[in-house]
Amino acid sequence: MLKIFFWILVAANIVLFVFQRTYFDAPSSGKREPERLTYQYREDKVRLLSAEEINRAVAQARVAAQTQDMAVAGHCVEVGYFAKTEAAGFARQLHSLSLGPEDITLTPRQEGSTYMVFIPPSPTQKSAEEKIAGLKEKGIESYYLIKDQTKMRWAISLGVFKTRDAAATYAASLEKSGLTGLEIAPRGPTVEKLLYRLDHLNEEQMRALESIMGSFPAQSIRQCQPTPSNRT
């Protein structure tokens, strides 16, 4: 029994010796810490990235993170919303994916230049003013009573924002204070934007899409449920 234990110890020491020589000594040419640290930096290889390169890298990393859990067979993604001029550039690059027309779906949406968070119109000015009194009790001082002769007459605007997401974030913060029934609506001139749905992409096409998205860092990409395929 003691012989077995002795040879186990010998073998363990041999493994430890080889590991130390291989892992610590070989890569550093015999040098130990802290001297070995001086060999880890190569200033001559450092290069500042341009803003375009950074945007491309971030966009590609975002796409890779969002798509890594997709099923291998038949990816489906939604990309956008694009303004018409930007959509044209995206469409030209999509040709490289060799997708069939049945796998590309365009959905238009009217978007406002700004978005308003508001309390829906009251039937009378008096009832609207009662709601304003409730706002003041909650410490909300930023509001505007709409008196125009429109369908928004006696609505209460609580803020106007450049994007729908910013408006939604503000509305959520107000709801935490106890406000309910808030709505969000576009204001100002509206523009048509396009959502691309790309269906039945294989792994190679997904990698190509990641590269394309580097040219459109402001656009989001989302997973969607693939439609049943009739291909055989």
Side-chain angles (χ1 to χ4, degrees), residues 1-227:
M1 183 68 181
L2 289 175
K3 285 185 177 182
I4 295 175
F5 183 73
F6 171 79
W7 286 112
I8 290 175
L9 287 177
V10 171
N13 278 280
I14 292 173
V15 170
L16 179 61
F17 176 79
V18 172
F19 177 80
Q20 289 176 327
R21 296 288 295 176
T22 303
Y23 185 79
F24 292 105
D25 292 346
S28 60
S29 302
K31 294 178 174 57
R32 300 283 184 172
E33 302 291 358
E35 184 181 1
R36 188 162 63 90
L37 292 175
T38 61
Y39 291 85
Q40 295 181 5
Y41 304 98
R42 294 292 302 275
E43 290 84 353
D44 58 317
K45 300 297 183 181
V46 175
R47 180 176 67 85
L48 293 177
L49 297 177
S50 67
E52 181 181 353
E53 289 174 316
I54 293 173
N55 286 337
R56 184 180 297 275
V58 170
Q60 290 178 355
R62 185 179 71 243
V63 174
Q66 291 174 328
T67 59
Q68 63 182 353
D69 295 329
M70 289 181 177
V72 174
H75 299 287
C76 175
V77 295
E78 293 179 339
V79 186
Y81 286 84
F82 292 90
K84 283 189 175 181
T85 53
E86 193 177 26
F90 184 69
R92 285 193 296 270
Q93 296 201 42
L94 277 184
H95 287 307
S96 64
L97 300 186
S98 300
L99 291 171
E102 69 279 6
D103 292 329
I104 302 176
T105 305
L106 279 178
T107 303
R109 182 172 77 174
Q110 295 296 320
E111 294 245 335
S113 54
T114 57
Y115 294 87
M116 180 176 68
V117 178
F118 65 98
I119 297 174
S122 298
T124 64
Q125 180 176 357
K126 182 179 179 179
S127 58
E129 290 174 345
E130 289 174 352
K131 291 180 180 178
I132 289 175
L135 293 176
K136 292 180 178 180
E137 290 177 358
K138 296 179 182 297
I140 300 171
E141 298 292 338
S142 180
Y143 59 83
Y144 174 74
L145 179 60
I146 299 175
K147 300 179 180 180
D148 302 341
Q149 295 291 339
T150 65
K151 64 179 181 179
M152 292 295 289
R153 183 175 174 84
W154 308 133
I156 303 170
S157 171
L158 298 173
V160 178
F161 302 85
K162 290 184 177 180
T163 66
R164 183 182 293 272
D165 288 344
T169 299
Y170 184 65
S173 69
L174 292 177
E175 288 172 349
K176 290 180 179 179
S177 68
L179 287 182
T180 58
L182 299 179
E183 295 185 12
I184 298 173
R187 283 182 64 84
T190 59
V191 294
E192 185 177 82
K193 293 194 174 182
L194 298 171
L195 174 71
Y196 275 85
R197 177 189 169 96
L198 309 177
D199 219 339
H200 305 119
L201 282 75
N202 58 34
E203 293 298 322
E204 183 179 353
Q205 289 168 327
M206 283 301 303
R207 287 192 293 271
L209 178 61
E210 290 177 17
S211 179
I212 291 173
M213 290 302 297
S215 301
F216 305 92
Q219 296 299 333
S220 61
I221 181 169
R222 301 167 295 280
Q223 300 181 31
C224 54
Q225 184 64 37
T227 57

